[in-house]
Amino acid sequence: MQPLDRFSGHADLYAQYRIDYPADLYAFILSNTSGRQIAWDCATGNGQVAGALTEHFNQVEATDISEKQLLLAVQQPNIHYQLSPAEQTPFADATFDLITVAQALHWFDLTAFHQEVRRVAKPGATLAEWGYGLVQLGTDLDPLILDFYRNRIGPYWDPQRKYIDTAYATLPFPFHNPQRATFTAKRSWSLERFLNYLRTWSAVRQYIHENETDPVIGLGEEMKSLWGADEHEMHFPIFLRLGHV
């Protein structure tokens, strides 16, 4: 089966406007990871996680199916990027101390990916899979963004989106010592910055493709008076599951 690529077409927006992840998430992962030699960030996108891992590992391998994403990725001397699907990689057996997947697991052939994890992970290595749900803007704005998410662009989400909405709770995780944890990424953005973040959503891109109009423009007009001229604080709820091979 050909891997599904929903992000090459707007890799520039993705690189600029997607969130990065909080320090306490990495601290939790590292506290459950014994080795520090080499990590693999799978579906690295623009290399946000790979860049963070370089501070803790001698070498980071980062893969993605989007060449355009990799061309815009964070550059560090100890990151090696290459094109590769999650389910079949060029890595040798028993290579990695840590394997990470951020906001991408729901696109994979999960059985094949977990089989590949077992092959390329060192005995006892850590697998960390995480994602984040619908942004929380506060009492006045949440109903607008929820309506946009469910109704305006709801029909344009891929079926896999349901796994994000349920925080991967229904996806199998056949690894030792499984743990779940939650975190929050707090950001303060201008309305323009937030609207450009929405334009990275795969459903928004599909809506634009099918209708040749940008649904974010109308939402922005609705939100303008409530947002105000200043930056607005928002919370991104992050869910993580972690285990050992």
Side-chain angles (χ1 to χ4, degrees), residues 52-121:
L53 294 178
T54 61
E55 300 177 15
H56 306 283
F57 290 84
N58 294 340
Q59 182 181 347
V60 177
E61 292 287 338
T63 59
D64 204 278
I65 61 170
S66 170
E67 184 175 11
K68 290 183 179 179
Q69 289 267 34
L70 295 181
L71 288 172
L72 296 170
V74 173
Q75 297 298 314
Q76 294 288 349
N78 57 336
I79 302 178
H80 176 234
Y81 292 106
Q82 58 185 316
L83 283 169
S84 174
E87 301 86 354
Q88 188 173 10
T89 69
F91 304 125
D93 294 358
T95 294
F96 297 104
D97 300 293
L98 171 67
I99 297 169
T100 57
V101 185
Q103 197 70 356
L105 186 74
H106 48 293
W107 300 112
F108 297 173
D109 176 335
L110 191 57
T111 299
F113 171 64
H114 282 164
Q115 185 174 12
E116 185 71 349
V117 165
R118 292 187 193 92
R119 185 184 70 81
V120 302

Side-chain angles (χ1 to χ4, degrees), residues 210-221:
E210 292 188 24
N211 298 284
E212 299 184 349
T213 185
D214 182 355
V216 173
I217 294 173
L219 177 65
E221 291 301 315

Side-chain angles (χ1 to χ4, degrees), residues 188-245:
S188 291
W189 287 350
S190 68
L191 178 57
E192 180 183 9
R193 171 74 173 77
F194 177 72
L195 296 178
N196 279 323
Y197 157 71
L198 295 183
R199 291 185 174 101
T200 70
W201 285 5
S202 60
V204 169
R205 306 316 302 178
Q206 189 63 25
Y207 185 105
I208 293 171
H209 174 73
E210 292 188 24
N211 298 284
E212 299 184 349
T213 185
D214 182 355
V216 173
I217 294 173
L219 177 65
E221 291 301 315
E222 292 182 70
M223 300 180 82
K224 189 179 296 183
S225 62
L226 295 171
W227 196 283
D230 298 326
E231 292 187 342
H232 185 87
E233 184 175 284
M234 63 201 68
H235 296 171
F236 292 87
I238 300 169
F239 55 89
L240 174 141
R241 60 185 195 173
L242 176 149
H244 295 96
V245 178

